[in-house]
């Protein structure tokens, strides 16, 4: 029998062989050579035990392909990406891996510069997934694992003048893959930088910066430890520190401390006889004191996000300009913290966090989540054979990143159960870097963590934790210890698809209880992979789109950004929730309440503006005196005498806070925060009441269509009109049917259907209770509401006509709605009347029987011609909003094409609702259109496909316009929640079946000026 052979190191518990000890990355002046670029590449289906000599300098690789480095080979046509969240895509049989193990051989020729110094040199790989072996000029250097950790090898003795050949064999699977089950695409290759660096004699082997801050006297203490040269000197010219000895603490000050709000950095130089290095030093002290996580003596409130590294074209090989874009977007959306889930990021990202200001929880490259599916049997976290690998990973994390002031917590990893190896990691951190506390969510008793951390607890549990009244631990000592720790939600508010709901309620708890020090929304960006159809249509792939046998679908698309980095509605909502300044206008009192919620900086340099609008049209604006408030302080600012709305319509006051000068992350004028209050009720009242239409700046009926669409034009129900409006479901031309004209509307008394408004053909409004389920409705890892909705048949409701006919001046249609097989239903009455040049619809719904679940929505659906492609509305906007995720929608007048109202979530679902709409106008290019008024408001969505198509599609590019614009005019939706991986909809946001009433008005739109 032939034995299958593979390299022994693939199934070795050892993390590496031949690699140098970990060290910090620093900006030294020693010669360095960038080895990124196009490498020669071939793909092998397995991992042979031997080589065919490809590592030899004289090997002929002319038949190989070119591959860029950094990159993932699956994104360049070699194999395919695969996504899983928890399950390993190979048998759980540690440390063994499949024989089918895609392996990529890489070769890179480079010329050593003529002035390259003799002596030691290091070859550095910043990231290779998942295991690699390396040769230089045919000589083996060793192997390394730890995909998102740097590995260096000594190569000075092997370098040659002129031509050198670097060969690297990379395996997709190794024993280390059991430690890297991190809810992301499985992608392989050399995906971070490769660099050759000279190591000068008496140079800087390593550097460790210790820069603490005393918040009581404002001074700093700086100690820089330098390995490799006992003669190294340290200078910080701005602080008067010049050629001070390394390895010694130096009192400096006063200094300006580093915080995420004011990221003050000092330029430092470390000079050794053989090398100089430039450092950027931030003074700050991190501690857990008095039961709170504090920096510089003050407790933090983390308004954070979890960030995987991702680019839709390059995977985890993220360009530096994209990293900067991420940090700028975070700062501009009031995010102040990042958890680097679930591995250390590219070091350039941490440089940007230092420079621009973000608190960082730096997480080790560790997750063994797939063992949960086998009852945690064999989990490496408690297996002594894996101890060295665990310690190696945390040592490389801390060793590389310890000099970043932005890093305030070390995280041992994610979802790896618990055990002795994790405890040993925590002990190693405390010994080697006691300046930062330790985080690990899986340590539920916090026996070896310094903060109490949880994922996705519901609001009531978070409230109890805030009061230090959480469920008791089994051990009284452990229980008392944990209750004395600060609490951080390392993951909450799962931002998958539409949503997340419940952010405001979480933030209120964070504000109420000092123990609750905020958290990190899951997550920053959807991990879609960009694809293009032959016709040029662009879309983003998720799990299952590459033929994976095992996958977790679109669970990889759970970010606040779409894959192309377009901010999603959830990010706008989060920005509003975590505003650094709270603004509460009170026109009745003539004041604006201002509260500074920053932890460190005051409000100096900010500008406070007011703006008054009537139905979205400005009629006054100005600047208020912005008080200088320290952290946590508040004040009341007097309002000026505001002008009266010129038309007597609905008027709103918006007060907003802006940057008064350019900052590194945003220009002057950037809006940080805002608040609104209503100024006057005006004439906006119930549909049909005097003054309901035609207020200042509001389109109203005009011209021949309007004059013909009056109540006096109503005709008897028996009138016969030849032909019919050209709408779906209408009889063919030339037939006879009884029509009723009510104001601008024409109804078919035989069917009860509305046929047209002002001559515009429409498909009649009908009560709709169904929505295309959102990811949070589906709740793949939470409590689903879609399942009971479908089990109840709410996606297949049928209608039975009870009656239709005149009732005084009204025409009333009564139906009963119910799913097949159910004895519950909804009695619905449509009452049509005309008044003031409008067709009015009063919809009454009353639940009958015992409903087994909440309603998805209550409203009406209808359709209008596809030519009505422009929408203007007065209500809340500009983006989508639902009842528990509406905080970013302000009252105003907005306009958009119908296509612009859609949010292209990677999996199509309910989206695009505009909330609290007073009136909306859909208009064609020639100016004709339809106006819809609410009594008082309604929710509006408009799209070029119906809900069934939205429900059935797997990707947005599969949605094909069907020749109509489908409108949803809703009274209310069930809330969104966060149940895709968190808590469901809060009771206040559930839509229970009961009595529901929606009132609307329809009229021809006024021609555009």
């Amino acid at each position: 029998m032939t034995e299958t052979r593979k390299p022994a190191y693939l199934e070795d518990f050892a993390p590496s062989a031949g690699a140098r000890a970990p060290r910090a990355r620093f900006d030294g002046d020693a010669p360095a050579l960038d080895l990124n670029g196009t490498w020669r590449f071939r793909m092998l289906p397995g991992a042979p035990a031997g080589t065919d000599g490809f590592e030899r300098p004289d090997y002929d690789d002319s038949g190989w392909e070119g591959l860029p480095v950094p990159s993932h080979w699956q994104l360049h046509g070699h194999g395919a990406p695969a996504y899983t969240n928890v399950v390993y895509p190979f048998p759980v049989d540690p440390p063994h891996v499949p024989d089918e193990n895609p392996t990529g051989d890489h070769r890179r020729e480079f010329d050593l510069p003529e002035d390259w110094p003799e002596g030691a040199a290091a070859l550095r790989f910043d990231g290779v997934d998942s295991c690699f072996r390396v040769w230089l000029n045919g000589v083996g250097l060793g192997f390394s694992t730890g995909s998102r950790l740097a590995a260096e090898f000594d190569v000075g003795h092997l370098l040659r003048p002129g031509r050198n050949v670097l060969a690297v064999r990379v395996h997709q699977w190794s024993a280390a893959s059991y430690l890297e089950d991190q809810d992301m695409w499985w992608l392989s290759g050399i995906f971070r930088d490769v660099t050759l660096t000279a190591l000068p004699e008496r140079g800087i082997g390593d550097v460790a910066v210790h820069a603490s801050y005393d918040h009581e006297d404002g001074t700093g203490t700086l100690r820089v430890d330098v390995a490799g040269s006992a003669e190294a000197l340290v200078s910080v010219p701005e602080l008067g520190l010049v050629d001070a000895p390394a390895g010694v603490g130096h009192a400096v000050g006063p200094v300006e401390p580093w915080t995420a709000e004011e990221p003050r950095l000092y330029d430092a130089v470390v000079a050794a006889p053989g090398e100089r290095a430039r450092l950027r030093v931030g003074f700050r002290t991190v501690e857990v004191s008095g039961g709170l996580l504090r920096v510089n003596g003050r407790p933090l409130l983390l308004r954070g996000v979890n960030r995987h590294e991702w680019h839709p074209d390059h995977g985890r090989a993220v360009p530096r300009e994209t990293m900067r874009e991420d940090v700028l977007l975070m700062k501009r959306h009031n995010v102040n913290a990042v958890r680097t889930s679930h591995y250390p990021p590219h070091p350039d990202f941490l440089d940007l966090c230092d420079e621009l200001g973000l608190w960082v929880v730096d997480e080790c490259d560790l997750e063994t989540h797939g063992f949960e599916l086998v009852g945690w049997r064999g989990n490496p976290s408690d297996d002594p054979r894996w101890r060295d690998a665990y310690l190696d990973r945390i040592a490389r994390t801390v060793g590389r990143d310890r000099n970043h002031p932005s890093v305030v917590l070390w995280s041992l990893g994610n979802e790896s159960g618990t055990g002795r190896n994790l405890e040993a990691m925590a002990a190693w951190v405390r010994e080697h870097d006691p300046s930062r506390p330790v985080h690990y969510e899986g340590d539920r008793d916090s026996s070896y963590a310094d903060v109490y951390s949880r994922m996705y607890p519901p609001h009531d549990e978070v409230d109890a934790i805030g009061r230090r009244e959480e469920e008791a631990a089994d051990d009284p000592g452990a229980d008392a210890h944990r209750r004395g720790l600060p609490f951080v939600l390392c993951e909450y508010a799962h931002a998958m698809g539409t949503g997340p709901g419940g952010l405001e309620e979480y933030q209120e708890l964070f504000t109420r209880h000092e123990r609750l020090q905020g958290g990190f929304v899951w997550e920053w960006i959807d991990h879609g992979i960009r694809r293009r159809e032959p016709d040029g249509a662009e879309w983003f792939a998720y799990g299952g789109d590459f033929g994976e046998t095992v996958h977790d679908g679109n669970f990889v698309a759970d970010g606040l950004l779409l894959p192309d980095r377009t901010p999603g509605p959830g990010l706008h909502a989060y920005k509003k929730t975590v505003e650094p300044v709270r603004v509460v206008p009170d026109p009745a009192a003539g004041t604006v309440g201002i509260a500074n919620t920053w932890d460190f900086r005051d409000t100096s340099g900010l500008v406070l503006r007011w703006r008054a609008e009537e139905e979205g049209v400005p009629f006054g604006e100005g600047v208020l005196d912005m008080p200088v408030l320290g952290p946590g302080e508040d004040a009341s600012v007097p309002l000026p005498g505001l002008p009266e709305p010129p038309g007597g319509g609905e008027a709103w006051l918006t007060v907003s806070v802006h940057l008064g000068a350019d900052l590194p992350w945003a220009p002057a004028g950037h809006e940080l925060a805002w608040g609104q209050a209503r100024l006057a009720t005006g004439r906006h009242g119930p549909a049909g009441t005097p003054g309901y239409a035609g207020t200042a700046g509001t389109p109203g009926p005009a011209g021949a269509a309007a004059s013909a669409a009056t109540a006096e034009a109503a005709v008897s129900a028996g009138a016969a009109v030849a032909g019919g409006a050209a709408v779906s479901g209408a009889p063919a031309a030339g037939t006879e049917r009884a029509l009723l004209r009510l104001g601008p509307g024409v109804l078919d008394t035989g069917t009860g259907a509305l046929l047209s408004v002002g001559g515009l053909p429409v498909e009649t409004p009908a009560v709709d209770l169904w929505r295309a389920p959102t990811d949070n409705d589906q709740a793949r890892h939470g409590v689903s509401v879609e399942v009971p909705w479908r089990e109840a048949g709410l996606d297949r409701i049928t209608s039975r006509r009870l009656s239709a006919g005149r009732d005084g001046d009204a025409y009333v249609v009564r139906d009963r709605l119910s799913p097949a097989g159910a004895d519950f239903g909804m009695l619905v009455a449509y009452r049509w009347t005309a008044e003031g040049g409008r067709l009015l619809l009063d919809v009454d719904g009353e639940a009958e029987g015992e409903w087994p679940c909440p309603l998805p929505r209550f409203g009406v659906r209808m359709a209008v011609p596809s030519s009505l492609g422009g929408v203007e509305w007065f209500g809340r906007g500009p983006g989508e909003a639902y009842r528990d995720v509406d905080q970013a929608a302000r009252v105003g007048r907005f306009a958009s094409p119908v296509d612009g109202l859609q949010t292209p979530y990677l999996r199509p679902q309910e989206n695009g609702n505009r909330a609290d709409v007073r009136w909306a106008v859909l208009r064609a290019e020639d100016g004709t259109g339809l106006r819809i008024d609410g009594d008082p408001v309604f929710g509006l969505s408009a799209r070029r496909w119906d809900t069934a198509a939205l429900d059935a599609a797997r990707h947005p590019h599969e949605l094909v316009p069907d020749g109509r614009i489908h409108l949803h005019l809703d009274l209310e939706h069930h809330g969104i929640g966060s149940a895709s991986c968190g808590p469901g909809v809060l009771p206040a946001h559930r839509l229970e079946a009961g009595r529901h009433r929606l009132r609307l008005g329809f009229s021809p739109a006024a021609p555009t000026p």
Side-chain angles (χ1 to χ4, degrees):
M1 183 174 66
T2 301
E3 180 182 357
T4 301
R5 296 180 64 231
K6 65 185 73 170
Y9 59 84
L10 283 182
E11 297 178 336
D12 197 329
F13 293 101
S16 64
R20 291 169 52 88
R23 61 174 182 153
R25 192 186 74 155
F26 55 87
D27 182 15
D29 64 359
L33 189 61
D34 180 355
L35 296 180
N36 294 343
T38 300
W39 291 41
R40 306 301 292 166
F41 176 80
R42 72 173 176 184
M43 192 77 190
L44 302 175
T51 74
D52 61 352
F54 88 96
E55 74 278 12
R56 297 197 312 264
D58 60 352
Y59 183 88
D60 182 6
D61 61 13
S62 60
W64 292 18
E65 299 181 36
L67 182 74
V69 170
S71 74
H72 298 285
W73 66 59
Q74 291 91 345
L75 299 182
H76 290 269
H78 304 284
Y83 165 65
T84 64
N85 171 27
V86 178
V87 62
Y88 288 106
F90 46 80
V92 181
D93 182 24
H96 305 295
V97 296
D99 294 337
E100 185 179 336
N101 188 354
T103 294
D105 285 342
H106 304 66
R107 282 171 55 91
R108 172 72 153 89
E109 294 186 14
F110 63 92
D111 289 331
L112 199 67
E114 292 183 1
D115 58 353
W116 190 270
E118 294 184 1
L123 177 65
R124 183 183 184 96
F125 294 84
D126 277 311
V128 184
D129 193 325
S130 75
C131 172
F132 70 103
R133 185 179 176 191
V134 58
W135 296 261
L136 181 62
N137 294 325
V139 178
L141 304 178
F143 79 93
S144 183
T145 62
S147 298
R148 284 146 288 276
L149 298 163
E152 288 188 312
F153 299 89
D154 286 316
V155 296
H157 61 296
L158 299 175
L159 291 172
R160 304 171 178 172
R163 179 178 179 266
N164 290 261
V165 178
L166 178 61
V168 182
R169 170 164 283 180
V170 182
H171 306 282
Q172 180 160 352
W173 309 123
S174 66
S177 300
Y178 287 100
L179 307 184
E180 297 178 2
D181 185 24
Q182 289 144 317
D183 183 12
M184 59 187 181
W185 292 100
W186 296 91
L187 294 169
S188 315
I190 305 171
F191 70 97
R192 287 184 184 163
D193 307 298
V194 183
T195 310
L196 177 68
T197 305
L199 300 177
E201 186 177 354
R202 298 170 68 195
I204 301 171
D206 194 8
V207 61
V209 176
H210 309 271
S212 61
Y213 176 73
D214 187 328
H215 67 274
E216 293 185 348
D217 64 14
T219 61
T221 300
L222 177 64
R223 188 183 88 241
V224 180
D225 297 330
V226 179
S229 174
E231 307 155 271
L233 300 174
V234 179
S235 297
V236 186
E238 192 175 357
L239 296 176
L241 191 69
V242 178
D243 291 340
V248 177
H250 302 282
V252 292
V255 297
E256 299 173 51
W258 189 96
T259 71
E261 294 165 10
E262 296 179 295
R264 182 66 159 92
L265 294 171
Y266 292 87
D267 292 325
V269 175
V270 175
E275 185 177 7
R276 292 170 64 88
R278 292 170 295 277
L279 305 174
R280 304 201 77 189
V281 175
F283 291 89
R284 55 104 185 95
T285 297
V286 187
E287 60 184 342
V288 173
S289 173
L292 299 176
L293 174 64
R294 301 177 190 270
V295 175
N296 302 336
R298 296 189 60 86
L300 295 185
L301 182 56
L302 300 168
R303 310 161 204 230
V305 294
N306 286 276
R307 177 187 177 269
H308 268 293
E309 294 184 302
W310 189 251
H311 188 283
D313 302 314
H314 309 303
R316 285 184 288 280
V318 181
R320 194 177 196 279
E321 58 269 22
T322 303
M323 300 180 208
R324 177 173 283 273
E325 182 183 355
D326 276 348
V327 176
L328 293 177
L329 281 169
M330 290 174 189
K331 295 289 289 186
R332 291 168 184 170
H333 288 85
N334 297 331
V335 170
N336 74 355
V338 175
R339 174 176 172 236
T340 69
S341 53
H342 297 292
Y343 42 82
H346 192 290
D348 284 355
F349 180 78
L350 296 180
D351 288 342
L352 291 165
C353 293
D354 293 343
E355 173 193 339
L356 297 171
L358 289 169
W359 308 114
V360 175
V361 177
D362 196 354
E363 193 147 272
C364 188
D365 190 9
L366 175 65
E367 181 169 338
T368 66
H369 202 172
F371 283 89
E372 182 181 38
L373 301 181
V374 296
W376 294 108
R377 292 186 300 276
N379 183 23
S381 294
D382 201 40
D383 184 336
R385 295 176 298 173
W386 294 92
R387 178 186 173 94
D388 287 348
Y390 274 59
L391 291 176
D392 173 77
R393 287 176 179 246
I394 195 64
R396 289 158 72 187
T397 299
V398 174
R400 192 198 73 172
D401 295 345
R402 63 192 170 208
N403 295 337
H404 291 281
S406 56
V407 175
V408 293
L409 285 171
W410 297 118
S411 180
L412 304 181
N414 184 67
E415 293 175 323
S416 297
T418 190
R420 290 166 287 178
N421 294 336
L422 288 160
E423 190 170 2
M425 292 171 75
W428 187 97
V429 172
R430 291 193 178 93
E431 178 182 353
H432 291 86
D433 182 31
S435 70
R436 296 172 176 94
V438 173
H439 167 275
Y440 180 64
E441 181 269 343
D443 179 15
R444 289 300 176 88
D445 287 343
S446 300
S447 58
Y448 48 84
D450 297 313
V451 297
Y452 180 30
S453 180
R454 290 286 305 281
M455 295 181 182
Y456 308 108
H459 296 77
D460 56 354
E461 183 180 354
V462 173
D463 188 24
I465 292 170
R467 300 192 306 269
R468 303 187 190 269
E469 297 175 2
E470 67 265 28
E471 184 178 346
D474 293 336
D475 180 274
D479 185 67
H481 166 71
R482 188 187 65 193
R483 289 179 196 272
L485 297 180
F487 179 75
V488 172
L489 280 165
C490 66
E491 293 179 23
Y492 81 114
H494 200 252
M496 187 174 180
T498 308
L503 284 168
E504 287 283 296
E505 291 83 356
Y506 274 120
Q507 199 68 22
E508 191 279 327
L509 292 171
F510 300 161
T511 303
R512 185 192 313 170
H513 303 298
E514 68 172 6
R515 185 192 188 191
L516 306 181
Q517 297 198 244
F520 300 84
V521 169
W522 185 268
E523 64 165 308
W524 178 237
I525 189 170
D526 288 345
H527 302 196
I529 296 177
R530 196 190 314 267
R531 312 292 282 173
R532 289 182 178 87
E533 293 296 293
D535 63 1
E538 182 178 285
W539 56 286
F540 296 96
Y542 52 75
D545 286 333
F546 297 94
E548 306 101 301
T549 302
V550 177
H551 66 84
D552 282 290
N554 70 313
F555 205 70
V556 77
D558 45 15
L560 295 167
L561 297 182
L562 299 177
D564 63 359
R565 283 181 162 73
T566 299
L571 182 56
H572 295 298
Y574 194 43
K575 176 183 179 181
K576 177 63 178 165
T577 292
V578 297
E579 289 174 327
V581 181
R582 292 291 184 192
V583 182
V584 183
D586 186 352
T591 61
V592 179
I594 304 293
N596 179 4
T597 71
W598 270 313
D599 295 326
F600 296 92
R601 66 160 293 179
D602 63 31
T603 58
S604 60
L606 302 183
V607 177
L608 192 62
R609 301 185 183 277
W610 68 269
R611 181 182 178 95
E613 297 175 325
E614 182 182 22
E615 299 210 5
V617 178
F619 64 89
E621 60 185 342
V623 177
L624 302 174
D625 291 332
M626 182 70 184
V628 177
L629 302 173
E633 294 181 347
D634 57 67
S636 183
V637 176
L639 281 169
L642 300 176
E644 290 294 323
E650 183 179 350
W652 284 77
L653 173 68
T654 304
V655 180
S656 51
V657 179
H658 304 259
L659 295 180
D662 292 346
L663 290 179
W665 49 270
H670 169 76
E671 185 181 81
L672 288 172
W674 58 272
Q676 277 192 313
R678 188 165 175 170
L679 285 174
T681 300
R683 297 203 300 259
H684 187 91
T689 59
Y692 182 59
T695 53
T698 305
S707 63
T710 62
E712 291 76 13
V715 296
S716 67
V721 179
V727 296
S728 175
T735 63
E736 294 281 326
R737 59 181 172 180
L739 300 181
L740 171 65
R741 195 177 301 278
L742 283 175
V746 175
L747 289 88
D748 183 335
T749 60
T751 63
L754 174 66
L755 302 179
S756 64
V757 176
L760 179 78
V762 301
E763 292 184 16
T764 191
V767 164
D768 195 3
L769 307 179
W770 180 247
R771 74 183 185 199
T774 68
D775 290 313
N776 285 304
D777 294 335
Q778 288 187 337
R780 186 177 300 134
H781 293 274
V783 178
S784 171
V785 71
E786 180 198 12
V787 170
W789 283 351
R790 292 196 189 272
E791 288 178 346
L794 300 189
D795 58 334
R796 49 181 176 82
I797 285 178
T798 60
S799 176
R800 179 169 62 87
R801 178 61 44 82
L802 301 178
S803 65
R806 295 292 296 267
D807 182 4
D809 291 336
Y811 187 80
V812 181
V813 177
R814 301 182 189 279
D815 291 345
R816 185 178 188 273
L817 310 181
S818 184
D823 63 354
F824 59 87
M826 181 79 69
L827 298 176
V828 176
Y830 305 88
R831 183 179 182 86
W832 295 100
T833 57
E835 189 174 348
R838 297 183 186 276
L839 173 67
L840 307 180
L841 172 61
D842 194 326
V843 181
D844 259 309
E846 186 170 1
E848 183 180 66
E850 294 186 11
W851 282 70
C853 56
L855 299 178
R857 71 176 350 134
F858 184 92
V860 297
R861 66 179 184 272
M862 62 184 297
V864 298
S866 62
S867 59
L868 303 188
V871 185
E872 183 182 17
W873 74 98
F874 172 49
R876 299 180 70 184
E880 74 177 40
Y882 294 85
R883 62 193 294 172
D884 58 347
V885 59
D886 64 353
Q887 58 268 43
R890 65 185 83 189
V891 178
R893 182 183 294 206
F894 307 98
S896 171
V898 165
D899 297 335
L901 297 177
Q902 315 311 308
T903 304
Y905 297 114
L906 269 64
R907 185 191 69 80
Q909 56 196 274
E910 167 60 40
N911 75 93
N913 181 68
R914 268 52 182 182
D916 294 338
V917 174
R918 280 73 166 161
W919 55 258
V921 175
L922 288 95
R923 199 182 299 277
E925 289 185 0
D926 65 4
T928 61
L930 176 69
R931 176 186 166 107
I932 307 166
D933 287 278
D935 178 13
V937 296
F938 62 96
L940 169 69
S941 58
R943 52 183 72 103
R944 296 186 183 275
W945 39 81
D946 63 15
T947 298
L950 191 65
D951 198 353
R954 293 186 66 247
H955 303 93
H957 73 284
E958 299 165 5
L959 293 164
V960 179
D962 64 9
R964 299 165 290 174
I965 291 176
H966 298 268
L967 301 180
H968 285 274
L969 314 173
D970 291 315
L971 176 69
E972 192 53 274
H973 271 261
H974 185 67
I976 299 298
S978 188
S980 53
C981 193
V985 174
L986 288 165
H989 300 302
R990 291 172 58 92
L991 180 58
E992 304 291 354
R995 182 73 183 270
H996 312 276
R997 187 179 185 188
L998 172 66
R999 301 189 70 196
L1000 301 166
F1002 301 90
S1003 60
T1008 52

